[in-house]
Amino acid sequence: RAFSSHAGIMGTLRLLATEGAFCLLIFVIPNILDSKRMAELFKLLFWVFFAVALYGIYQATVGLADWEIRYLASGFTQEIRQLYDTKVRVFSTLNSAVSLSNVMALCILLEVATIRPRKVFASAPSAAFFFIRVSAFFTALVLTNTRTGLLVLVVGLVSMLFLVGPKRILALYVGGFAGLCLLVFFSDYFLANLPVYQEMLTGERYTSHNQFFRIGTWSDRLAGLAKLKEGSSWTPFGREMDSNVGVAGAERFESETFSHDIISLTVFTVGYVPLSIFAIFALFKLRRLHAWTLRPGLSQRERCYFLGAFFGLFSSGLSAQTLLLFPVNFFFWVAVAYLLINAREAALAAKAARAEASE
């Protein structure tokens, strides 16, 4: 793939376009919007992507139009692979089914995070519109036959339940890290038994016509994680990716730097020295972030729930690098900007309260 993220200058330009440009939103949005305007922006985005969800449902029900088939076959999108699958995964107006499923999950999580129960459920029409939108988002998510969006939704909702207290937060981190370590440790075992699990789920041993339960596609991710158990994978400052990393078939697993997840990819290309420094810095920042989200106030629940939505998105990004996809990256940085606005307004309110108390 000429525009792969590992393809030299073109890969660098691609990353700058997808990540560098959108991360600037955290500097632009806080300077032009306040929390009230941001709430209005989210309402607008929910209605815009409600239309996207409805069109996805329409695609799944009626099928793709001729011009959409021509788009898939044009070569301008990697989704040309869908034409060779048992069933085309709906993508609505977005660039892929993965993007659609992730955005639909994010819309559900952000609807939950920004909901004002007294206002939404104050009237029957308002409550009805809320449930109709959430139902449409979830239906479109399921119809994509893509599991990453479901992962975002489940992890996000679970995180929302755990991020509301210090002990729960500690349990979430310990449980998540322990789960990742177990997944790496038993990755070879899971990889060898994928056909058995596939047969248990669908009755088909090596593949499945049911895309939602096609777990054989996890073989690449498990193979990448299994490489982390090899000492040669851990270098101080990273290493170059093998030239045969893109080879198709079983031969691709022979590469010492084969990866299909962002965890092993980061270990291979960055190295354990920068990773250790980043981990220490991240732990320090996370401690401050959780201390801020747990401060009493009207927006405490909202802050915790937004963080839960981020956790859900990161869980998907770790397995499928979805943080590089538009409009997932757009939603992510807009939500980060909202948290920054919330933090600024909370700090100004606290400063005003102290000034009033001192008078």
Side-chain angles (χ1 to χ4, degrees):
R1 296 186 323 186
F3 292 92
S4 168
S5 58
H6 314 299
I9 185 64
M10 294 308 299
T12 302
L13 291 175
R14 175 179 177 271
L15 285 176
L16 286 175
T18 55
E19 287 302 298
F22 285 103
C23 74
L24 295 177
L25 291 172
I26 64 175
F27 302 105
V28 175
I29 292 179
N31 287 309
I32 60 177
L33 298 176
D34 57 17
S35 58
K36 292 183 179 179
R37 291 291 182 88
M38 281 297 295
E40 294 174 359
L41 175 61
F42 278 119
K43 287 180 182 178
L44 175 62
L45 289 175
F46 292 151
W47 282 111
V48 168
F49 284 96
F50 174 64
V52 173
L54 291 181
Y55 189 71
I57 296 171
Y58 172 82
Q59 279 185 333
T61 305
V62 179
L64 301 184
D66 291 340
W67 66 269
E68 290 171 323
I69 297 294
R70 290 196 297 271
Y71 166 70
L72 291 179
S74 66
F76 289 108
T77 170
Q78 65 175 355
E79 292 303 296
I80 190 175
R81 61 186 177 176
Q82 290 204 41
L83 299 178
Y84 305 98
D85 209 333
T86 57
K87 183 180 179 182
V88 175
R89 296 180 177 184
V90 298
F91 51 90
S92 186
T93 60
L94 305 187
N95 51 21
S96 69
V98 174
S99 293
L100 180 61
S101 67
N102 278 264
V103 169
M104 294 297 100
L106 272 176
C107 284
I108 295 174
L109 292 173
L110 294 179
E111 283 265 26
V112 173
T114 58
I115 187 176
R116 300 287 192 275
R118 293 182 180 179
K119 186 175 181 180
V120 171
F121 300 111
S123 64
S126 177
F129 281 134
F130 171 79
F131 285 114
I132 289 172
R133 283 200 308 267
V134 171
S135 299
F137 294 148
F138 183 75
T139 302
L141 187 159
V142 173
L143 290 176
T144 62
N145 286 311
T146 304
R147 294 178 296 267
T148 53
L150 191 61
L151 178 66
V152 171
L153 182 61
V154 172
V155 173
L157 291 175
V158 171
S159 298
M160 287 178 178
L161 295 176
F162 277 87
L163 292 173
V164 294
K167 292 183 179 179
R168 290 189 180 186
I169 291 174
L170 180 61
L172 179 66
Y173 278 108
V174 171
F177 183 73
L180 177 61
C181 290
L182 288 174
L183 183 61
V184 172
F185 185 78
F186 291 105
S187 54
D188 288 319
Y189 174 81
F190 291 140
L191 184 61
N193 287 277
L194 277 181
V196 178
Y197 304 144
Q198 184 68 77
E199 188 174 20
M200 291 171 59
L201 281 172
T202 63
E204 300 169 275
R205 188 170 180 81
Y206 292 103
T207 186
S208 174
H209 294 291
N210 189 322
Q211 295 163 316
F212 209 85
F213 295 102
R214 189 182 295 169
I215 63 174
T217 56
W218 284 87
S219 58
D220 287 9
R221 296 176 179 88
L222 289 171
L225 292 175
K227 300 289 184 182
L228 296 179
K229 294 187 290 185
E230 301 175 4
S232 58
S233 298
W234 296 84
T235 57
F237 296 97
R239 56 187 295 184
E240 292 186 6
M241 302 295 286
D242 291 348
S243 59
N244 65 333
V245 73
V247 174
E251 295 179 2
R252 66 190 187 281
F253 295 147
E254 298 176 5
S255 168
E256 292 185 355
T257 56
F258 176 80
S259 173
H260 193 60
D261 65 279
I262 202 168
I263 298 176
S264 58
L265 177 64
T266 304
V267 171
F268 296 153
T269 58
V270 176
Y272 60 78
V273 173
L275 272 179
S276 300
I277 297 173
F278 174 77
I280 295 172
F281 175 78
L283 287 174
F284 173 74
K285 287 296 184 181
L286 281 171
R287 183 176 178 274
R288 294 188 62 182
L289 177 63
H290 287 302
W292 170 70
T293 57
L294 294 177
R295 286 179 184 172
L298 294 176
S299 59
Q300 178 186 4
R301 180 192 65 86
E302 193 171 280
R303 294 194 297 261
C304 294
Y305 281 13
F306 257 85
L307 195 57
F310 291 154
F311 276 43
L313 184 58
F314 273 119
S315 68
S316 175
L318 291 176
S319 65
Q321 304 179 29
T322 53
L323 289 174
L324 301 180
L325 295 175
F326 177 83
V328 178
N329 47 12
F330 168 77
F331 254 102
F332 173 76
W333 292 113
V334 168
V336 171
Y338 180 72
L339 280 180
L340 292 176
I341 292 172
N342 192 299
R344 182 186 63 190
E345 293 182 352
L348 290 175
K351 184 178 180 180
R354 287 195 300 267
E356 184 179 350
S358 62
E359 292 179 356

